[in-house]
Amino acid sequence: NGMEIVQAFDISNDLKTGLEKFRKWLDGFNPFDALNVADGGPKEMTKEHVFHRKHHSARTRWIAPKYFPDPKVLTAYTSPVVDTSEEKFSWGVPDLDRLILFCNKHVGWPAEE
């Protein structure tokens, strides 16, 4: 699941580095090459190695955009713009007609759905 990815790459500590590692893995990096050390003995498997082994076939199904990770997205996650209003929040009624048009135009969903 998605949380395993977050944990495996420790991106909670350094989002940019973690996502760059994830991109490198998606592009074909084989982390098990690093386990073969010069003295002939294997190193201990890290959380990343466990993740790689568990998700090796998923890599062929996951596609990242050319500019992943996008600096604008990283900034949005690390420095979000939030509402500082002290007013009590209340939900409004969604405009279903506009939602249907939006989903049809941008997602390709027929209006019937």
Side-chain angles (χ1 to χ4, degrees):
N1 68 32
M3 196 59 203
E4 289 175 352
I5 295 168
V6 173
Q7 292 169 344
F9 287 94
D10 287 328
I11 63 174
S12 59
N13 294 331
D14 185 354
L15 185 63
K16 184 176 187 292
T17 301
L19 290 174
E20 287 170 346
K21 285 180 178 181
F22 182 66
R23 174 58 187 252
K24 187 175 181 181
W25 176 74
L26 283 177
D27 288 344
F29 167 71
N30 184 355
F32 293 102
D33 290 343
L35 289 176
N36 299 326
V37 293
D39 64 358
K43 291 183 180 177
E44 184 177 321
M45 286 187 56
T46 64
K47 290 187 295 182
E48 284 183 38
H49 291 106
V50 172
F51 172 84
H52 293 300
R53 178 165 285 162
K54 185 174 180 181
H55 296 89
H56 71 279
S57 65
R59 181 170 61 188
T60 61
R61 298 186 307 269
W62 295 341
I63 300 169
K66 182 178 180 179
Y67 297 105
F68 179 86
D70 186 316
K72 293 177 191 172
V73 175
L74 288 172
T75 300
Y77 274 97
T78 57
S79 303
V81 176
V82 296
D83 183 359
T84 58
S85 172
E86 298 291 326
E87 293 181 34
K88 184 177 178 178
F89 178 79
S90 65
W91 290 98
V93 178
D95 184 339
L96 293 180
D97 292 330
R98 289 183 70 188
L99 281 172
I100 290 169
L101 286 173
F102 177 87
C103 290
N104 180 262
K105 181 179 178 182
H106 296 285
V107 185
W109 291 352
E112 307 78 62
E113 289 186 19

